[in-house]
Amino acid sequence: MKNVWITALAENQPRAEAISAHLKQYGLQCQGHFWQDAPEKLVWRAALNGLLEAKGDVWVILADDVEIAKPSVRYGLSLMATALRQAKGAGFQIVLLWNSPAPQPEKLPQLLQQATVVEEAAASWAAKIVAKANMAGKAVALDYRLNIQGDERLGQWFEIGPREGLWRGVVLGVHGGGAEINFQAVGPQGVLPEKTTLEFAQQGLKIQAGSREFTAWAVRNEVSSDTSYFARIKGCPEAILFMSYADDADVSATVLGLK
């Protein structure tokens, strides 16, 4: 039996129960929660852990126009989607189920634009979720790893590194949302390092990317496929920028919108 994890953005018990009951008629096991809008406390991690413990095969988000317009909700969903794909694979299936006409993909948070968009008004919405639960998604090939570590006590840590090869240093910048980097480290992939030695650490770098200015920190430590750069970020940035360290201006940077 395939497992569905349902996230209801609005606390609408009748809708959540009706969706779950209908999917069970198709042989799907359903579990889930109501979204809590407190990204600064990393409460989305409880939902992520629940999905992983339930061995979810697809993440269904009961979308709501009012809730998904909130920057804080968009930010939390972006972080959960990022951590989920790191844990379950970049092709893990995410479905946005709308009880109103769905927006164009470019109106969604950037890190949810790969999700499948389905409208409840369509007679086939349940069949589409069944299909997604039974097939592997097609992942976009990326040359980087991105994960979110930490909790309310430890803080919010962004973990970055190459999927293959070697970076001879890392630069990470934040933009908007009152966000700031306040600590950085390098260590084995997947675990916050207990101690670290930084090489040529830099802080307060200003990087212009289009119309946005990013405040960045950097190190010259080598980072490979089994090691990572970690940065603790206070606040909820609107976007992040990261790249391998380079002395010339030709290096390409990745910019990701989080809201």
Side-chain angles (χ1 to χ4, degrees):
M1 180 177 291
K2 295 297 182 178
N3 298 305
V4 177
W5 184 264
I6 298 174
T7 293
L9 296 187
E11 195 162 341
N12 185 333
Q13 188 80 28
R15 182 189 180 199
E17 291 179 350
I19 294 297
S20 179
H22 194 65
L23 291 175
K24 287 178 180 178
Q25 293 177 11
Y26 284 76
L28 298 177
Q29 180 68 39
C30 298
Q31 297 182 60
H33 73 123
F34 292 110
W35 185 258
Q36 296 183 49
D37 185 19
E40 69 283 355
K41 297 182 179 180
L42 280 77
V43 294
W44 57 266
R45 291 206 68 91
L48 174 65
N49 292 337
L51 187 158
L52 297 177
E53 290 172 5
K55 295 181 171 53
D57 296 293
V58 60
W59 180 27
V60 176
I61 302 169
L62 304 189
D64 175 271
D65 288 332
V66 173
E67 294 300 314
I68 208 166
K70 297 176 181 177
S72 55
V73 171
R74 296 167 70 88
Y75 181 78
L77 289 172
S78 294
L79 265 56
M80 181 168 166
T82 297
L84 175 58
R85 285 171 174 145
Q86 180 63 24
K88 299 281 284 185
F92 185 81
Q93 299 281 13
I94 300 175
V95 175
L96 284 161
L97 183 61
W98 291 84
N99 59 356
S100 60
Q104 294 299 310
E106 60 269 18
K107 298 294 184 180
L108 298 172
Q110 183 178 348
L111 294 174
L112 283 177
Q113 290 177 5
Q114 285 181 256
T116 300
V117 175
V118 179
E119 294 182 3
E120 287 177 48
S124 60
W125 69 263
K128 290 181 179 179
I129 292 175
V130 172
K132 293 299 177 183
N134 284 278
M135 69 172 67
K138 295 181 180 179
V140 176
L142 301 173
D143 59 1
Y144 63 83
R145 293 178 283 107
L146 175 62
N147 197 11
I148 314 297
Q149 301 280 2
D151 53 34
E152 184 177 5
R153 180 179 60 87
L154 295 173
Q156 171 184 251
W157 293 78
F158 281 60
E159 177 188 357
I160 297 167
R163 290 198 175 276
E164 297 179 352
L166 188 72
W167 290 356
R168 301 189 184 280
V170 181
V171 180
L172 171 67
V174 295
H175 167 81
E180 61 181 31
I181 303 170
N182 57 22
F183 202 87
Q184 59 184 351
V186 174
Q189 179 187 343
V191 181
L192 290 175
E194 295 182 0
K195 59 181 180 180
T196 189
T197 300
L198 300 180
E199 300 176 12
F200 303 101
Q202 296 175 271
Q203 304 175 11
L205 304 173
K206 300 298 182 182
I207 301 174
Q208 194 73 29
S211 61
R212 295 180 287 197
E213 183 180 72
F214 292 79
T215 301
W217 286 27
V219 296
R220 290 291 193 100
N221 299 62
E222 291 187 346
V223 177
S224 63
S225 59
D226 57 2
T227 57
S228 295
Y229 168 84
F230 300 84
R232 187 172 64 194
I233 298 178
K234 180 181 179 181
C236 302
E238 295 175 14
I240 59 170
L241 173 152
F242 57 89
M243 56 187 174
S244 60
Y245 199 104
D247 291 319
D248 58 67
D250 293 331
V251 64
S252 60
T254 297
V255 177
L256 295 177
L258 301 178
K259 295 181 179 179

